[in-house]
Amino acid sequence: MPELPEVEIAARNLRRWAAGHRVRGTESDPRAARVFRPAAARVLARLRGARVDEVRRVGKNLLLTLTPGRRGGPKLGVWSHLGMTGQWVRRRAGDPPLPARRLSLALDDGARLDYVDMRMFGRFRLVPGARFDQVPDLAALGPDPLNDGVDPGRLFERLKRARLPIKVALLDQKLLAGIGNIQASEALFRARIDPRRPARSLSRPEVRRLATAIRASLEFTLRSFAKIGADGGDADIAYVEENAPNPFRVYGRAGARCPRCKAADVVRIVQAQRSTFFCPSCQK
DNA sequence: ACCCGTGTTCGCTG
DNA sequence: TCAGCGAACACGGG
């Protein structure tokens, strides 16, 4: 389910659920071997007895720092990426596992944190010494729009050398970390920029608009997800619920009247094998 | 059966 | 060396 806003909710949940707690027991789904590195058995062994100290989010990545069970050892890092269908859910110790549960962490407070991931594009990896900066894929990430802000000058310099359509360029995690297929369409709609334009064709004022739109869209989506989860107090929420209304302006709305100019219908096109939604009338 | 899906990586090409 | 492209991964739903 994850682009930056969903992963941010997941980070807040994990913080609330796990920070300061020890892992008592572990279990994994043998079919999910591809999710783990090193092999699941070694991951589980290292986690047992460890205490979760910190949960961070960078782009779509969750970074956990733990203190290992054996005293005096170096910190233990966990890099969790949710792929397309990954979720962290909290269960009670005796609850039966949900379908597609790939990993369970039983905590010292009687709760269980389960990683559920139908398609298994997600990843759960140990990072020795919690040295996340030593992991090439993490080190290569661009700035995180919410944690670091979006610098329009830097964005312009980066985009002016790319021939790719701007929509496709925005999906590159080395440009900005956390924008996915939904947020790319949403940000370009807010900035009134045609997603098919070569990235290098954007003017400075357009890039400035885009930088603002990216933050606005991410923050709006985050607020709407947090609201969905807000019912019931101890919100276990995090993810778009089936019945929840589509919180997006254009994504998934092909054929609907443009909510801004109302002069045309939202259209769906395919770019880099992914759907793009936009208004052909007010996105120039 | 076919197409679609909030992500990423790999191998090939020019 | 590198930007860009398409296939691949895996599974369920319409």
Side-chain angles (χ1 to χ4, degrees), chain A residues 185-266:
Chain A
S185 281
E186 293 294 296
L188 288 165
F189 174 76
R190 285 174 182 259
R192 304 192 309 280
I193 294 168
D194 187 319
R196 299 166 294 187
R197 299 246 318 265
R200 62 194 301 177
S201 76
L202 271 60
S203 66
R204 271 186 195 279
E206 286 172 328
V207 172
R208 216 176 301 130
R209 249 159 50 208
L210 181 56
T212 303
I214 287 167
R215 288 199 53 132
S217 178
L218 290 170
E219 280 164 8
F220 178 85
T221 305
L222 181 56
R223 276 197 304 275
S224 78
F225 288 172
K227 209 176 300 168
I228 288 170
D231 58 356
D234 188 36
D236 279 14
I237 19 50
Y239 300 102
V240 190
E241 311 214 341
E242 335 253 297
N243 311 334
N246 174 350
F248 305 117
R249 304 272 216 268
V250 289
Y251 187 86
R253 296 191 185 278
R257 184 72 56 83
C258 170
R260 180 172 47 217
C261 74
K262 300 178 171 56
D265 289 348
V266 173

Side-chain angles (χ1 to χ4, degrees), chain A residues 154-171:
Chain A
R154 178 191 179 277
L155 191 56
F156 180 82
E157 294 303 316
R158 291 289 309 268
L159 291 176
K160 79 177 184 191
R161 275 168 287 132
R163 291 164 212 273
L164 287 170
I166 181 61
K167 154 64 168 31
V168 179
L170 285 175
L171 297 178

